[in-house]
């Protein structure tokens, strides 16, 4: 019996649990934006501004995802506009490869906003944003970010800026990824004269970014 006990103990296998998936992601994105149409002195295809976005997000155990970003935008002519936004979304895994993520954001924009409110030509305003993203995993490395839709509007003033974008993500490994996307945005034109409540093409952008998860 005394000899059997050590042998029995040696035969036991201690299973090491698999490493947990990363839940936090930090990212940086940069993009030039070009005017989409001729509008006043702005000519289609000319540089409108360049932005840089720093973001942090967290994936919760119940498929909710939350995040926050800050985005400085440097406009032609030396002006600048800043955004700070927090969001909360939910990931619907419709198939093994396709994920649909609706989310809602609350933000604030300030400095040279170009938003008219009362007597201000550059009002600092709070806004809300609605998003819908669809992502299709093509392989272990590649994901097609098939669409990312946005509806954004300021509270108590006219500032509606919908946008649609599509792109791809390349996963370098389990914690690092790079991506690129193209987008087209609209902006509501002056509503004090006809055509009322109309949207006009605003900007086209090409963005690249990097994400690290931990």
């Amino acid at each position: 019996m005394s000899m059997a006990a050590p042998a029995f103990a040696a035969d036991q296998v201690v299973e090491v649990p698999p490493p947990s998936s990363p839940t936090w992601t930090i990212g940086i994105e940069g993009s030039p934006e070009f005017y989409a149409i001729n509008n006043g002195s702005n000519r289609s295809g000319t540089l409108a501004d360049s932005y840089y976005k720093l973001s942090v997000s967290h994936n919760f155990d119940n498929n909710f995802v939350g995040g926050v970003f800050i985005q400085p935008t440097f406009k032609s002519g030396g002006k600048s506009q800043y955004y700070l936004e927090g969001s909360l979304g939910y990931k619907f895994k419709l198939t093994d490869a396709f994920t649909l993520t609706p989310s809602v954001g609350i933000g604030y924009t300030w400095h040279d906003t170009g938003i008219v409110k009362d007597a201000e030509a550059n009002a600092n305003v709070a806004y809300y944003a609605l998003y819908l993203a669809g992502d299709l995993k093509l392989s272990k490395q590649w994901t097609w970010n098939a669409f990312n839709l946005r509806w954004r509007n300021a509270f108590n003033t006219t500032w509606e800026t919908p946008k649609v974008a599509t792109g791809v993500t390349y996963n370098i490994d389990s914690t690092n990824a790079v991506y690129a996307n193209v987008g087209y945005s609209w902006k509501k034109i002056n509503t004090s004269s006809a055509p009322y409540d109309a949207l006009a093409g605003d900007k086209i952008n090409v963005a690249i970014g990097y994400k690290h998860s931990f």
Side-chain angles (χ1 to χ4, degrees):
M1 294 291 292
S2 61
M3 294 180 63
F8 176 75
D11 290 340
Q12 292 184 353
V13 177
V14 178
E15 294 186 0
V16 178
S20 58
S21 299
T23 58
W24 288 94
T25 300
I26 57 175
I28 182 170
E29 176 181 309
S31 174
E33 294 188 302
F34 305 93
Y35 291 114
I37 63 173
N38 296 331
N39 186 8
S41 61
N42 302 327
R43 311 307 298 170
S44 173
T46 59
L47 182 67
D49 57 58
S50 298
Y51 74 76
Y52 303 91
K53 181 188 294 185
L54 302 174
S55 62
V56 179
S57 63
H58 179 68
N59 290 319
F60 297 94
D61 293 336
N62 53 7
N63 292 332
F64 280 95
V65 57
V68 62
F69 74 76
I70 184 168
Q71 177 184 312
T73 300
F74 303 102
K75 303 181 179 184
S76 299
K79 295 183 178 181
S80 59
Q81 183 176 1
Y82 301 88
Y83 301 82
L84 179 64
E85 181 180 314
S87 63
L88 180 65
Y90 187 86
K91 291 181 176 292
F92 292 94
K93 197 166 182 61
L94 301 183
T95 70
D96 289 340
F98 186 74
T99 302
L100 190 68
T101 308
S103 60
V104 58
I106 299 294
Y108 188 75
T109 183
W110 69 97
H111 209 246
D112 300 310
T113 63
I115 301 172
V116 179
K117 183 180 180 181
D118 299 328
E120 294 185 71
N122 290 290
N124 301 335
V125 299
Y127 65 86
Y128 69 89
L130 306 175
Y131 300 95
L132 182 63
D135 300 300
L136 180 63
K137 193 168 185 61
L138 304 175
S139 67
K140 185 177 180 180
Q141 279 77 36
W142 290 98
T143 298
W144 177 30
N145 310 119
F147 58 84
N148 194 319
L149 312 178
R150 179 193 75 193
W151 182 271
R152 186 174 62 184
N153 193 10
F155 296 103
N156 301 320
T157 189
T158 299
W159 185 63
E160 297 182 24
T161 57
K163 182 178 180 178
V164 58
T166 186
V168 293
T169 297
Y170 178 75
N171 295 291
I172 302 170
D173 52 36
S174 61
T175 60
N176 296 284
V178 292
Y179 63 91
N181 60 62
V182 294
Y184 189 99
S185 64
W186 294 261
K187 184 168 65 175
K188 180 167 283 191
I189 62 175
N190 181 14
T191 57
S192 63
S193 59
Y196 300 102
D197 297 326
L199 290 168
D202 187 27
K203 297 173 185 175
I204 299 170
N205 80 293
V206 180
I208 57 172
Y210 164 77
K211 296 185 290 187
H212 173 71
S213 301
F214 58 93

